[in-house]
Amino acid sequence: MFNLTRRVFGTGLLAAAAFAIATTSFGAAAQELKAFNIGYQKTGLPVIARQRQIIEKALAGKGVTVKWVEFTAGPPLVEALNVGAIDVGWTGDAPPIFGQSAGANIVYAAALPSNGDGEAIFVKPASPIQSLADLKGKRIGVGKGTSAHNLLVAALEKAGIAFDQVTPVYLSPADAAAAFASDQIDAWAVWDPFFAIAETRYQPRVLVRSSDVLKVNTYFLANKDFAKAHPDVVSTTIAALGDAAKWADQNRDKVAEALHEVTGVPLDAQTIAANRTKFGIFPITDEIVAGQQATADRFFKLGLIPKAVRISDAIWTAPGN
């Protein structure tokens, strides 16, 4: 049986922060870059790019070695970006908001489709909980500062339930999986492939999906100093991810196998996840910024982030654009 493993970030992450990012001119910095560290999760476009080695091929002429670092959720990925342990990475909508509010050294480089149908709040089939209204007073497992956290907030809002009328139990996907299995939580809010794994194990009752209550995006982020020093690498990577998206759309029958090969997540779960994933990457428009700002404002109003943020302050623009 596939086990969800926890990623521990501590001494290794802090040690990685000791590596200074070059602050010389762009030309010199670009020449000095030898290692390029990319953060990814257990599904999504970066996994396809890794399996196809599309970014490696795009950067081959620059003499850059690509290293892939796996995370189980967006918040630790954002922290790794903040300290320079990785250079770029992909997360949902909420992690960069929590990061920006805490002063993280990150920028938004591009937008991708939302988790959509691949993110949900669900319960076991035998649960007495039949609808969102029944969540009042219940314990809900969710990752703090994750896209599923935003889903929970939006879903409760839609159902007319105040956030303080439920008990959020902040857990990593691994711990939430264990808590769900042992009925220590009443419901679970999470994204693919963890949602898909739960579907194969429990055939859960889905109360709501992100696509039902949210119009959001996921994001390709970069360490702010890295993006300033190596804009060509960031732009090349975004273009390569675009190529990966085209391949995925043209080879839907091979996507699940590619995801399975890289992540080790069972093929049946990755097939479910792949079949409902939308692939693409595109510039961050004013409309996207406005939507992300609305999410940030909601979090601040609820006291979930320590200070208000202005999303537009953290948008990266490639030189010449």
Side-chain angles (χ1 to χ4, degrees), residues 132 150-151 154-155 158 208-215 298:
L132 290 173
N150 190 28
L151 166 60
K158 179 181 179 181
V208 66
R209 298 174 188 262
S210 282
S211 54
D212 298 326
V213 294
L214 289 170
K215 184 181 179 181
R298 180 191 294 127

Side-chain angles (χ1 to χ4, degrees), residues 17 121 140 159 171 225 269 280 307 315:
I121 302 173
I140 306 167
L171 298 168
D225 294 331
K307 65 178 183 179
I315 303 300

